[in-house]
Every structure is written in C-alpha cells, then in structure tokens.
Amino acid sequence: MSKIKVDTIQSTQHATSTIGLTSTGATINGDCSATTFTGSGANLTSLPSANLTGAIPANLLTNAGGGGFEFVSKSEVASGQTAAYIDFTSLSDDSMYRVVGKQVVNSSSSFEQYEFLDTSGNPISGKLNYTRVYGTTSYSYNGWTTQDAFYGAGLADASSSKGAFILEFFTKAGQVWFRFDGTTTNGTRAYMETWGNFDSSDTTTQIGGLRIRDASGTSNTLQAGTQILLYKYKES
C-alpha cells in the first residue's frame, strides 16, 4: 500500500480551494459535493429547511409545541336531528380549555345555557359568581352570585338567526374561573361578555365537564346545524 503525505492539497483551478490535513482530520475550504455522505451531522449549521427531506426525528416531535391549542373533539347536531344538550366530559384537572361555538341554533326564541359538570358528569349547583355586559347599540350589565349556570347571547328568532361564542375556563379546584364572549345575528343581546369564578368558599370542586343546552329547559332543544368545538391549551 502506498501513502502520499502532505499538509495541504490545492486546486489548480482556484487559488483558495484547498483541503487542509491535520492530526485530527481534514478541513475543506470551498464547495464539497459527493454522491452520499455518512457519519454524524451533529455540528452542521445553517441547513435550509426547504432542502431537508425524510422522517422527522421522534425527539423533535416530542419537544414541539410552545403554546397553541390541542384539538379535543367536535360535536354537531346533524341534519334532521335535535339535541336536548351537548356534553363535554372527562376534562383534565389543572388545565385550560377553549370551547368554540361555530354556530348555535335553538328551537325557540331563547338563550343557550352553560353548566359546568363535576368529575362524575353531574351539573355543579350554586357555585358560580359572575358579571355580564350585553346589548346591541348600547349596553347593560348585571351580576349574580351562587348560580347554577350562565346564559349566552340568545336568539330573537331561532328560524332566521344563529349564535356563536368562545368560552375559556380553568378546571383546577379552588381556582376555577371562566370568560365567555357570545354574539347572535338577530336578537336583543347582539353581543354578550361574561366573566366569573367559583365562590371563594369552594376549594374542592374540580370542573370535569361542560353542558350546553337551551335555557328554556327540556321543552326546547339545540337544532340541526349547531357545531361546537373543544380545544385544550398546550403548555409545552
């Protein structure tokens, strides 16, 4: 076997294109191309993302995040159907949720109602303290304590108008709070903003779910076209 021992190989076509040989390896000054490359790429930098191909490493998927929402579920009342209520259950403790009502249609000129459920799926009674602001071209406000539920913006004519809302809440016992923004295309309360919390004397009740129904009770229902999405806030 023959060996050629040199410190530097220089291109005859370019004065600064060189391969420098050291006791630990080689340094290339200039472009380097090959059919394939093997070995560790741990110290590679400035790799254009548009030129990367192949599977994403599992650790990148695990560590991805940094905020945003995780989709949990969607509930929709199908064509020709009605629903006495829509429940979201099995919610996690110490977590933030967002519920989005893309479209809410009631069976009468009424309001939708929102009840928090415990971890067994039962309505939580007498815990809510809240304030609301509502109106059309002007506004009114009022508040209540130790309530079972709160209402949405409502509809003046269920056959021709539809409501929508965003509800956010925190499930942890002793720290339960919520904020609601609702609107309707036709009604005496074209917009509605409500915020509140559990009574401060309650330090043990954890929110385990949410029920949405017509405020008029079992005689009225949510109508076809109602679509409600549930998201959970990502924390990492």
Side-chain angles (χ1 to χ4, degrees), residues 126-129 146 173-176 197-204:
K127 302 293 186 182
L128 289 180
N129 298 335
T146 60
Q175 299 182 37
V176 170
N197 53 265
F198 274 11
D199 189 270
S200 60
S201 63
D202 186 301
T203 60
T204 60

Side-chain angles (χ1 to χ4, degrees), residues 23-94:
S23 61
T24 58
T27 300
I28 299 174
N29 182 22
D31 295 336
C32 179
S33 62
T35 304
T36 60
F37 289 94
T38 61
S40 172
N43 296 317
L44 297 178
T45 60
S46 302
L47 298 176
S49 60
N51 294 334
L52 299 179
T53 61
I56 299 176
N59 68 311
L60 292 182
L61 293 174
T62 301
N63 296 326
F69 299 102
E70 172 189 345
F71 175 75
V72 178
S73 64
K74 176 181 179 180
S75 293
E76 181 174 359
V77 182
S79 176
Q81 303 294 314
T82 62
Y85 54 81
I86 291 175
D87 278 2
F88 295 100
T89 59
S90 301
L91 304 185
S92 301
D93 183 26
D94 194 14

Side-chain angles (χ1 to χ4, degrees), residues 32-187:
C32 179
S33 62
T35 304
T36 60
F37 289 94
T38 61
S40 172
N43 296 317
L44 297 178
T45 60
S46 302
L47 298 176
S49 60
N51 294 334
L52 299 179
T53 61
I56 299 176
N59 68 311
L60 292 182
L61 293 174
T62 301
N63 296 326
F69 299 102
E70 172 189 345
F71 175 75
V72 178
S73 64
K74 176 181 179 180
S75 293
E76 181 174 359
V77 182
S79 176
Q81 303 294 314
T82 62
Y85 54 81
I86 291 175
D87 278 2
F88 295 100
T89 59
S90 301
L91 304 185
S92 301
D93 183 26
D94 194 14
S95 300
M96 276 293 303
Y97 285 91
R98 170 176 282 204
V99 185
V100 178
K102 291 177 59 179
Q103 182 169 278
V104 182
V105 186
N106 294 339
S107 61
S108 68
S109 300
S110 181
F111 309 100
E112 74 274 16
Q113 177 173 300
Y114 302 86
E115 299 174 320
F116 290 115
L117 308 177
D118 62 22
T119 53
S120 297
N122 301 312
I124 300 171
S125 302
K127 302 293 186 182
L128 289 180
N129 298 335
Y130 63 88
T131 299
R132 72 179 183 185
V133 178
Y134 65 95
T136 51
T137 56
S138 61
Y139 72 88
S140 301
Y141 67 91
N142 43 39
W144 291 269
T145 59
T146 60
Q147 297 296 299
D148 299 339
F150 65 95
Y151 299 138
L155 308 174
D157 181 0
S159 65
S160 63
S161 69
K162 300 173 179 63
F165 69 88
I166 295 175
L167 168 63
E168 297 181 309
F169 58 91
F170 186 42
T171 62
K172 187 176 182 179
Q175 299 182 37
V176 170
W177 64 269
F178 72 94
R179 187 178 185 95
F180 172 89
D181 289 285
T183 186
T184 181
T185 57
N186 179 22

